[in-house]
Amino acid sequence: MSEPPPTAVPIVRARSAREWEALGVACPSCHAPLDDAVGPALRCTGCGREYPVTLGIPDLRLLGDPYLSTAEDVTAATTLAGRDDGRSFGELYASYYEGNAKVPPEQVARFTHGVLAAADRAQATLQTWKELDAPMPTTGTLLDLGCGTAPLGVALACSGYSVVGVDAGLRWLVLARKRAAEQGIDLPVVCANAEHLPLRAASCTAVVGESVLENVADADAVVRESRRVLGPRGVLALTTPNRHSVGPDPHLGLLAGGWRSNATLQAHALRSGQVMPRRRLFTPAELTRTLRHGGFEDVRLSLPQFAGAQVSGLAAPLRLAIGAYHLIRRIPLVRSIVLQIAPAISVVARST
Ligand SMILES: [Zn+2]
């Protein structure tokens, strides 16, 4: 007899206000509980604000998305959900760029390769954090901050953790639901800004985030909010590109992009037909300082591992360089020197 198929998880599923509250979800403005007395929308029982629920995802954003208006984001998310007709996660992701003249096919192929490789990268990231002696708490809610299509959240949920994904792009959350559904996971996701987290104080035991701190409008506010939702002795684990990296720029591909002026990067983006990212890159020292100012201690940095799927598509010289990097990252003294110019930084810290 063959194995029964895994239970199908729909990408659109509504949750009640009570279910959201059990996960720690609250008003992003005043942090009071939300109710659903006004129908599908959620209403704050404190300040009275009303928040729409779109495709089962509460839209608790207080700020706009830097790349799309809220109306455009809702349209994009609804279009994606409508295309969930047997396509795989990767196919659904690539379809987002259909008809978008601003993003050339080569960039779509690079983005799609990136999101598919992200599942592998998430495992490598979790392994790096573990090496920093930061095991994920086995109780409570883990917040996947700026989850995007949620490779990290899905990897953690597959390991049995209770995860909530938060991202400012509704369209990415539809894709996060799809990535999770393919693994049989019904991942709770909420649309919100990382600077105004829709969670009660001390409602999470860990906040994890990959490639998020460099993309937010106000990284200091995000660190303070992470501290608030963690309460004392919570785990913060992040991975972010290194501004002083001498490798390819994480967004534009140009070598040592973090060392170059904005004007040079803009000119390169224009010349190569790429979208100029809005970002703030950190050096290891800047990252440490930002976390300490935001209420964290015991800040430990390391060199993130590369996953096999990230390396396989690269040119031979880069593959060799990454092989050497994997050897070096095991030698403590050399590691701390290489960290200064490495492509990315992994960090774990404890809230005070
Ligand atoms: Zn409120």
Side-chain angles (χ1 to χ4, degrees), residues 30-338:
C30 73
H31 312 136
L34 303 166
D35 73 27
D36 46 15
V38 286
L42 292 172
R43 186 182 59 191
C44 175
T45 56
C47 67
R49 263 178 193 263
E50 276 187 27
Y51 300 98
V53 176
T54 305
L55 305 163
I57 303 170
D59 188 346
L60 305 173
R61 287 177 284 193
L62 298 183
L63 311 169
D65 178 298
Y67 297 103
L68 287 190
S69 71
T70 299
E72 288 169 329
D73 189 29
V74 168
T75 302
T78 309
T79 304
L80 280 170
R83 286 182 187 150
D84 184 32
D85 52 5
R87 295 175 207 228
S88 68
F89 162 73
E91 289 164 346
L92 195 61
Y93 173 86
S95 83
Y96 170 63
Y97 294 98
E98 270 171 22
N100 185 341
K102 280 193 209 154
V103 187
E106 312 79 64
Q107 204 173 3
V108 175
R110 195 152 66 82
F111 288 168
T112 306
H113 176 78
V115 291
L116 291 173
D120 243 23
R121 192 179 66 219
Q123 294 296 346
T125 299
L126 291 172
Q127 186 56 35
T128 305
W129 290 335
K130 206 168 155 190
E131 286 171 7
L132 282 167
D133 199 20
M136 288 300 139
T138 50
T139 57
T141 300
L142 273 61
L143 168 62
D144 185 1
L145 185 67
C147 64
T149 64
L152 201 54
V154 170
L156 285 162
C158 285
S159 300
Y161 293 101
S162 166
V163 181
V164 174
V166 167
D167 198 274
L170 194 63
R171 59 202 182 283
W172 305 133
L173 293 172
V174 169
L175 290 163
R177 291 275 308 166
K178 175 69 181 180
R179 188 196 284 276
E182 280 193 350
Q183 303 298 319
I185 303 278
D186 180 14
L187 186 73
V189 293
V190 177
C191 197
N193 307 106
E195 294 90 344
H196 301 279
L197 288 174
L199 291 153
R200 288 193 304 274
S203 58
C204 301
T205 51
V207 173
V208 300
E210 244 189 332
S211 305
V212 55
L213 209 58
E214 70 275 18
N215 291 316
V216 295
D218 184 348
D220 299 299
V222 172
V223 173
R224 281 197 303 275
E225 273 292 83
S226 300
R227 167 66 188 79
R228 181 183 66 79
V229 303
L230 280 172
R233 305 303 294 158
V235 174
L236 176 68
L238 302 171
T239 296
T240 188
N242 182 357
R243 184 160 71 81
H244 281 170
S245 165
V246 291
D249 184 280
H251 303 106
L252 296 165
L254 190 65
L255 277 182
W259 292 87
R260 298 172 194 255
S261 70
N262 254 351
T264 308
L265 292 175
Q266 293 243 5
H268 172 78
L270 197 65
R271 231 180 9 252
S272 53
Q274 299 188 76
V275 179
M276 179 67 190
R278 185 208 63 181
R279 64 181 191 183
R280 171 184 168 194
L281 300 180
F282 291 84
T283 65
E286 288 163 351
L287 184 59
T288 303
R289 211 162 38 238
T290 302
L291 296 193
R292 286 197 178 134
H293 281 175
F296 289 88
E297 60 186 6
D298 196 11
V299 179
R300 278 167 283 160
L301 308 181
S302 186
L303 296 168
Q305 289 185 23
F306 281 89
Q310 282 175 283
V311 181
S312 62
L314 298 175
L318 271 177
R319 285 206 308 272
L320 275 175
I322 289 170
Y325 167 92
H326 276 141
L327 289 175
I328 283 168
R329 67 184 291 285
R330 299 183 168 278
I331 311 167
L333 192 67
V334 187
R335 183 168 60 209
S336 59
I337 297 165
V338 172

